[in-house]
Amino acid sequence: MAEGLGFDRERPDTRLVPAFIVVAMALLAGCDGDTLYDRASPDLVPPSVAILAPEAGDDVLAGQAVPVRVVAADEDGVTSLEIRVSGSFAAAISRAYDPPLPAVEVDTTITVPAEAEGPAVVSATAINTQGGVAEAEPVEFNVALVDSIAPRVSIQVRGLLNEGLDTVSVRTADRLRLELRDSLLVDVTALDNPGGSGIRLVGVSAVVASSTRTDTLALGLSRDLGVARADTVVEAFTIPPPFADSLNLPDSMDIEIYGWTVDAGGNCSADIVDTTDRLRCLEATYGTETVTLATVAPQPQPVIAVAGRGKKLQEQGTIADILVDTLRSRAYLSNLSNNKINMFLPSSFTWGADVLVAAEPWGLALNIDEDTLFVGNSGGTSISFVSVSNTPREDLNRRLVTRNTPLFEVRKDSALTEAGRRRYDGTFIDFSDRPQFMAQDFTGRLLYSTKPTTAQRNGTLRVVVDEPGWDEPEARILIRPEDVLTQDTASISIANIDSLFVIQSAGAHDLVELFDHEAGFPDRLIRSGALQLEQAVDVMAQAGSDIFWRYGNWDLFAVGFADTTYVGASGDRRWVAFGEGGRSGPSRIVLWDATASRIHSRLLVADLVNNASERVRGVDLNEDGSLGASRGGVASYFFRLDLRLQGSVSEVTEGGSGTVLHWDHPDYVQGLNSSERTIAFLGTGDNKVKILDTVHFTERGTIEIRDALAGPLRSAPPLRSDNGGAGRNCSASTCVVAKLYGMTTRGSLVIIDVRRQDILPLP
């Protein structure tokens, strides 16, 4: 007798016996006297024994290994187990157990002789310690010289593989959104019949019906294993959005997905999702492509191919701002969580080297010469200067550490003391000094908002001035004379000094002493000396201090800004807009006029949009500042330099990103006609980018994208490599005329090509 043992697993370790007894007894619970019988004394209780493999009726190929699995159990212990094969070939396996075991298992293989053919029977006998003998119900199988049994196969759509993102699990019924470089992940599991010739080929086929085509197309993918495998084979396949038209997005498709396998004997089985049937294979031809299908069609997987291309951050974190460096074809992202600037290279669609800056970088701005990137470090009180001419790197010698910039009030008591002496009450008013969003005007002044904190709940608007020859730049709060409430002449409000002290004396009037430094020279002290209040402020002004003072009290609502305050600059840098994100009262929009070096206008958003609850979620200006755009919670608003509302476009979805104007939006003059440049872009909370007309204030198109936008959104010109290398010099309807850079709710950077054909003409 021939015996071939490829794998033999037994349980001689008594430490495993209790658990195995439970398993063996459960497997044998259905056995009775019809299948197990005692060949010894009728008073003896025989053991239990059962054959679990092969199964009755299995076809086994001559020359292959047949899996054999037998279990036996007895309360007193099993002393021996014998397995026999008879019929078209003979084999035997014997096991003795000393000490006896309450449960045993033999899990092995027996090689079938190459010349064997016809029926074969597996039988098994177990003996216990009392001499009780039991035989399992025999199992008959067939030995064939030719493998004619199809293997087993199953298929599962495991998820969606996003470029640069993690795999996302999906339900088959979902209409999946895929970018053109995304793929469906499909797992195909194949297993040949016991003793079969082994799995040789595994494949997947997709049949696609597209909304943009009248014909049906197909895609076939397969993998040759080289050597036939008798064990379970699991192969993963990625199916891209087949035949999606990149110039005609969105493209809706229904995809039928099939999995199939072929064994070394040439037998083929196919499967579809949500079935366990062993289906026959079917060859079908679509155009020039011949693919393997099943005799039963699956429920199609709905897919929509959309615009945009996303890229996962190399290191996850919150992105607070995006700046597009058109000159160098780069995008800079302020990674608030990791104290870095992430650099992206759109031409190669890869991440460049990160740039370390200070704590919690937020707002970004390029200087006039476009060789330095300003970074507002909101986790402290500094602004980084990053050189971008070559390999970006922060110039630590230029890092600007902003000074504390408080305001002061001094109030005179309304009545003299009994001794006829004047008393002063001084108030120190502090704000958050942590830089947030920023811009540089054409004079070189840096303007920025500051981030409110738990300790300092109001931020402010600041301007940084750096004159030639100064030792250090100077940062000042942006204030106007109107920010002082002048009805109280018993008080004086003071700004732009370093400190103020009230000097009290029991036998005289109170005095004040003011301290400051010469602008640009922090080590050059200016002090008033101990004087009466009006005398002290006059002395400071005459001594060269840039002190500001007015009778009255500060209007802290006018000076302080709550929540995020957005900043946007016109292309010519003459105008800078600030948009307040929220507060307990109405938000505001403020315009800075660089030519006049002052705040040009300041307006409550409620006055602009006639909605007291509206909040600013982004602000942008066109090239000359003649048109501004602001995103609110319910609409996008468009305004002139005098902050007069020109029009609005309502928005019904929650979430999304700010509204940005076309990167080359024309000057907003009387009689301006709508064109492909008089548009703005709005990222919605429902996976879309809306194109808004800024002359007639209506929608002019929608671009479907994969993930909803959230956070910063920027508009930039096409890359030089776009449009077949023509860049901006392209006149076809399919040309890319703008690129959008934004962050998604999935935490990835997405770049969206806006094509001329996406901008619908007005009726």
Side-chain angles (χ1 to χ4, degrees):
M1 292 185 293
E3 175 182 333
L5 302 180
F7 175 69
D8 191 353
R9 183 175 72 248
E10 300 187 48
R11 308 293 179 116
D13 191 340
T14 57
R15 291 174 296 176
L16 302 179
V17 167
F20 185 65
I21 289 175
V22 175
V23 176
M25 291 301 184
L27 292 171
L28 300 172
C31 300
D32 54 28
D34 293 333
T35 58
L36 302 174
Y37 57 91
D38 184 4
R39 297 190 307 184
S41 169
D43 295 332
L44 296 177
V45 178
S48 300
V49 62
I51 300 171
L52 304 182
E55 295 181 4
D58 278 352
D59 282 319
V60 175
L61 190 63
Q64 299 296 318
V66 180
V68 175
R69 185 181 178 204
V70 179
V71 294
D74 189 90
E75 292 182 356
D76 295 326
V78 177
T79 59
S80 65
L81 179 63
E82 183 179 4
I83 303 170
R84 301 172 302 279
V85 180
S86 59
S88 58
F89 75 100
I93 300 172
S94 296
R95 294 288 183 266
Y97 303 99
D98 186 14
L101 298 175
V104 298
E105 177 187 18
V106 174
D107 190 351
T108 186
T109 59
I110 296 177
T111 301
V112 180
E115 67 279 4
E117 182 180 9
V121 177
V122 177
S123 58
T125 302
I127 302 175
N128 63 14
T129 57
Q130 303 301 316
V133 180
E135 292 189 4
E137 182 177 357
V139 173
E140 182 175 337
F141 62 96
N142 184 62
V143 178
L145 296 176
V146 178
D147 185 3
S148 60
I149 304 300
R152 296 180 178 87
V153 64
S154 64
I155 184 175
Q156 178 187 15
V157 180
R158 174 157 51 98
L160 178 65
L161 180 64
N162 299 147
E163 181 186 27
L165 293 176
D166 297 332
T167 301
V168 181
S169 61
V170 300
R171 296 180 304 164
T172 306
D174 292 342
R175 180 166 288 280
L176 302 178
R177 287 175 172 261
L178 277 74
E179 295 175 355
L180 294 180
R181 291 170 177 80
D182 292 343
S183 299
L184 285 174
L185 279 180
V186 179
D187 287 339
V188 179
T189 303
L191 176 64
D192 203 9
N193 54 295
S197 55
I199 301 298
R200 183 175 58 85
L201 285 172
V202 179
V204 64
S205 302
V207 178
V208 183
S210 170
S211 63
T212 61
R213 304 180 65 103
T214 57
D215 55 342
T216 300
L217 301 177
L219 172 71
L221 303 171
S222 63
R223 202 158 291 148
D224 192 332
L225 303 181
V227 177
R229 289 173 50 179
D231 57 338
T232 301
V233 176
V234 180
E235 293 291 328
F237 294 89
T238 57
I239 303 177
F243 318 111
D245 185 354
S246 62
L247 300 180
N248 193 16
L249 299 175
D251 191 355
S252 296
M253 295 170 283
D254 287 322
I255 307 177
E256 296 178 358
I257 302 175
Y258 302 83
W260 54 269
T261 187
V262 178
D263 64 19
N267 303 297
C268 182
S269 284
D271 186 44
I272 59 177
V273 177
D274 296 331
T275 69
T276 57
D277 299 333
R278 190 182 308 190
L279 303 174
R280 291 188 296 108
C281 294
L282 175 69
E283 297 294 313
T285 300
Y286 299 89
T288 60
E289 185 80 8
T290 299
V291 293
T292 300
L293 310 180
T295 52
V296 176
Q299 183 72 25
Q301 170 66 63
V303 168
I304 177 171
V306 296
R309 186 178 178 187
K311 189 73 168 181
K312 182 181 179 181
L313 297 176
Q314 293 185 106
E315 182 179 14
Q316 284 302 296
T318 299
I319 300 301
D321 200 8
I322 299 174
L323 187 141
V324 181
D325 184 350
T326 305
L327 179 64
R328 299 167 186 84
S329 296
R330 296 173 181 168
Y332 307 111
L333 290 74
S334 56
N335 196 316
L336 188 74
S337 309
N338 299 308
N339 301 343
K340 294 177 181 178
I341 302 302
N342 301 138
M343 183 173 65
F344 191 72
L345 309 175
S347 297
S348 59
F349 216 78
T350 58
W351 291 105
D354 293 337
V355 182
L356 287 173
V357 287
E360 299 180 16
W362 198 301
L364 303 174
L366 274 177
N367 69 339
I368 298 172
D369 296 329
E370 297 190 6
D371 60 6
T372 300
L373 178 70
F374 299 119
V375 183
N377 300 307
S378 67
T381 56
S382 70
I383 297 173
S384 292
F385 291 64
V386 176
S387 174
V388 296
S389 295
N390 297 303
T391 301
R393 183 184 302 275
E394 182 185 3
D395 186 346
L396 294 173
N397 292 323
R398 297 174 65 192
R399 181 182 290 183
L400 173 62
V401 179
T402 61
R403 292 174 173 267
N404 189 29
T405 309
L407 301 178
F408 300 89
E409 284 182 358
V410 180
R411 182 173 181 80
K412 307 173 187 177
D413 283 351
S414 58
L416 300 178
T417 66
E418 293 181 359
R421 297 179 178 87
R422 173 74 63 190
R423 292 287 180 254
Y424 292 137
D425 182 18
T427 302
F428 175 86
I429 305 171
D430 204 7
F431 300 93
S432 167
D433 299 303
R434 301 185 178 193
Q436 197 173 42
F437 286 106
M438 57 185 54
Q440 188 180 41
D441 68 17
F442 75 86
T443 71
R445 289 174 295 225
L446 188 62
L447 296 109
Y448 63 96
S449 59
T450 64
K451 181 186 76 171
T453 66
T454 303
Q456 303 296 341
R457 297 185 178 277
N458 277 326
T460 56
L461 310 182
R462 307 282 176 103
V463 58
V464 178
V465 180
D466 190 8
E467 298 291 347
W470 280 9
D471 288 348
E472 286 187 8
E474 291 286 335
R476 294 285 181 255
I477 297 177
L478 286 182
I479 53 176
R480 303 181 301 170
E482 297 93 319
D483 295 336
V484 179
L485 304 175
T486 58
Q487 63 267 30
D488 187 357
T489 57
S491 295
I492 288 183
S493 295
I494 303 174
N496 300 346
I497 63 171
D498 295 337
S499 58
L500 178 152
F501 294 92
V502 174
I503 303 171
Q504 296 181 338
S505 173
H509 293 300
D510 285 352
L511 302 175
V512 296
E513 186 166 15
L514 310 182
F515 293 85
D516 197 8
H517 63 275
E518 185 178 337
F521 300 94
D523 296 330
R524 298 181 184 178
L525 179 65
I526 300 174
R527 61 188 301 178
S528 66
L531 299 169
Q532 293 186 23
L533 183 57
E534 285 82 354
Q535 293 176 321
V537 295
D538 285 340
V539 167
M540 294 296 286
Q542 294 171 12
S545 170
D546 55 356
I547 186 173
F548 169 93
W549 70 275
R550 291 288 188 277
Y551 284 109
N553 303 106
W554 286 111
D555 182 353
L556 296 183
F557 175 85
V559 176
F561 285 73
D563 205 344
T564 300
T565 299
Y566 301 91
V567 178
S570 61
D572 60 10
R573 298 178 183 263
R574 176 181 173 182
W575 302 97
V576 177
F578 300 87
E580 185 179 25
R583 59 161 56 244
S584 57
S587 300
R588 288 158 292 174
I589 292 179
V590 177
L591 278 177
W592 165 264
D593 181 356
T595 302
S597 302
R598 64 179 178 86
I599 293 176
H600 172 72
S601 52
R602 174 182 263 160
L603 185 71
L604 293 178
V605 172
D607 296 333
L608 177 69
V609 303
N610 196 27
N611 183 344
S613 64
E614 185 63 294
R615 299 288 178 264
V616 174
R617 295 170 56 192
V619 65
D620 194 22
L621 297 175
N622 68 342
E623 175 64 26
D624 68 345
S626 56
L627 181 68
S630 173
R631 169 75 189 277
V634 296
S636 295
Y637 305 98
F638 302 93
F639 55 87
R640 297 185 316 200
L641 283 171
D642 57 4
L643 294 183
R644 298 289 295 172
L645 182 67
Q646 299 304 292
S648 62
V649 182
S650 62
E651 173 55 39
V652 297
T653 60
E654 295 291 334
S657 59
T659 300
V660 293
L661 295 166
H662 187 284
W663 61 272
D664 191 27
H665 194 289
D667 298 348
Y668 206 71
V669 297
Q670 184 72 27
L672 178 66
N673 290 320
S674 292
S675 70
E676 67 178 37
R677 294 161 55 214
T678 60
I679 56 175
F681 305 100
L682 165 68
T684 71
D686 59 351
N687 309 80
K688 296 180 179 66
V689 172
K690 289 186 178 181
I691 303 173
L692 311 179
D693 187 79
T694 58
V695 175
H696 298 285
F697 310 106
T698 185
E699 291 186 20
R700 291 184 60 186
T702 299
I703 301 175
E704 298 275 355
I705 56 177
R706 184 184 64 199
D707 306 311
L709 292 171
L713 179 66
R714 300 289 178 257
S715 170
L719 301 174
R720 290 187 292 271
S721 57
D722 282 327
N723 302 317
R728 307 181 193 182
N729 302 315
C730 182
S731 58
S733 63
T734 56
C735 291
V736 177
V737 295
K739 297 181 88 72
L740 301 179
Y741 297 73
M743 291 303 299
T744 74
T745 54
R746 294 274 303 281
S748 63
L749 171 69
V750 63
I751 301 179
I752 305 163
D753 287 342
V754 181
R755 299 183 183 275
R756 182 169 284 114
Q757 64 190 15
D758 295 326
I759 307 169
L760 303 179
L762 292 171

